[in-house]
Amino acid sequence: MKILLFGGSFDPPHNGHLSILKEAAQYIDFDRIIIMPTGTPTHKKSCMVPFDVRHYMAQLAFGNVDKDAEVSDYEGNNLKDDYTYLTLRYLKEKYDNADIFMLIGSDSLFSIRNWKNSKEILANCTPVVFARKEGDQQQILCLIEQLKTEGANVVYIPYKVTDVSSSGFRKGQHGDSILPHAVDAVIDEYHLYDKDDTKRFQGTAKLLAKLMLDEKRYQHTLNVEKLAAELGEIYSLDVDKLRISALLHDILKNAPKDILLHRAGQGGIIKRIKDKPKQTLHGFAAADYAEKEMGITDEDILWAVRSHTCGRSGMNDFEKVIYLADMLCEGRKFDKRDYLLGLARKNLDMAMYEALVHSIKWIEFKGNVVDTDSLEALEYFRKLLGYSC
């Protein structure tokens, strides 16, 4: 079985990617083509767009390139460094030691000896190389001969060099015409590469919510965004930051526990993480995702996402608004909702205290474990308001 692996950041995927992939598929008859967007790259700065969005754009770009092609999410979800040798081990195991060909540009070939475990890489796959720059051909052919003497097999594909690149698009050096139509449309709709960070974060967050949540949870997220914006206007807070926080608060709600634990523990924010109830982990995990995958550094946004489920001692107004918007938005149905919503529109601290009392009683009634952060938050607001025990 012959497998072609085509990896890359695809930030974004463009027509040059499509063109070289089609060229390789015509040059060699492959049984399967695997397009592999990188997770968090180990050899370059973090991507501008999160993995889940890049994976989605790759599906749009390469979906019809070949009936035997698939876009893999392996490197984005394996919780390990995305080194090429590890990906090759995974593919060898999954496809019963198949013959793997790896499509790379000449720049990658020139540096391949410096890759981690490069000898293992060259032993486990056949690089299929195309020139990235005019004049690379002679150097490519010379290096191929050298690698052959070391036992490696490399295939060179004569290909018309283009100056199209993802980095060039991000820098504004290319027009939209270099992108597949479906990719261009989603970038435009969600402002994925906008120079305005606020506009880009908000659009990306909305797309992430749509991609990562079921329809019911996505609608809930939009309801939280709506109420958060309303409360933000009442209390003169930055509504754009509240919208971003609301759109991101539940994006990992349905993630497996191993991913939740991995992401929630990244920043060292949580104490006693192993003892955390699973239902409280997704906020911490989502905050890590927002920081690591999206590059969000604003502490108001990150803390609002982290604490939206169980609260914490010393919450700021952004955190209070997202906590209350999550609990009291349209679609929530419980006896005290209207009373708490009216209170939230008048006094955030009093609303937080009453909301925490209600939430803790409900958790105890259901026989579930109350998170210690919630108990500490309740005590914080009790003292803040001067209430007696």
Side-chain angles (χ1 to χ4, degrees), residues 85-132:
Y85 79 94
L86 293 175
T87 297
L88 291 172
R89 286 182 186 179
Y90 160 75
L91 293 175
K92 284 283 188 180
E93 182 177 349
K94 181 176 181 179
Y95 293 102
D96 195 24
N97 214 32
D99 292 327
I100 300 177
F101 296 74
M102 182 172 65
L103 184 59
I104 59 175
S106 52
D107 53 340
S108 294
L109 180 70
F110 298 155
S111 65
I112 199 166
R113 284 171 165 150
N114 298 323
W115 293 12
K116 190 173 181 65
N117 290 358
S118 60
K119 290 183 179 180
E120 179 180 339
I121 291 170
L122 291 169
N124 282 332
C125 79
T126 298
V128 179
V129 185
F130 62 94
R132 289 293 301 270

Side-chain angles (χ1 to χ4, degrees), residues 30-92:
F30 298 106
D31 299 296
R32 182 175 293 274
I33 297 171
I34 299 175
I35 296 98
M36 184 83 70
T38 55
T40 302
T42 55
H43 62 289
K44 62 173 71 174
K45 292 181 180 179
S46 295
C47 297
M48 191 168 181
V49 168
F51 167 78
D52 294 278
V53 174
R54 290 184 289 107
H55 181 263
Y56 174 63
M57 289 194 295
Q59 289 177 315
L60 294 176
F62 301 111
N64 298 317
V65 71
D66 189 281
K67 65 181 178 64
D68 296 313
E70 65 172 282
V71 179
S72 173
D73 65 357
Y74 168 73
E75 288 194 354
N77 292 321
N78 68 356
L79 305 183
K80 300 175 183 176
D81 289 327
D82 57 338
Y83 289 115
T84 300
Y85 79 94
L86 293 175
T87 297
L88 291 172
R89 286 182 186 179
Y90 160 75
L91 293 175
K92 284 283 188 180

Side-chain angles (χ1 to χ4, degrees), residues 5-16:
L5 170 65
F6 185 25
S9 298
F10 302 120
D11 189 23
H14 52 69
N15 290 328

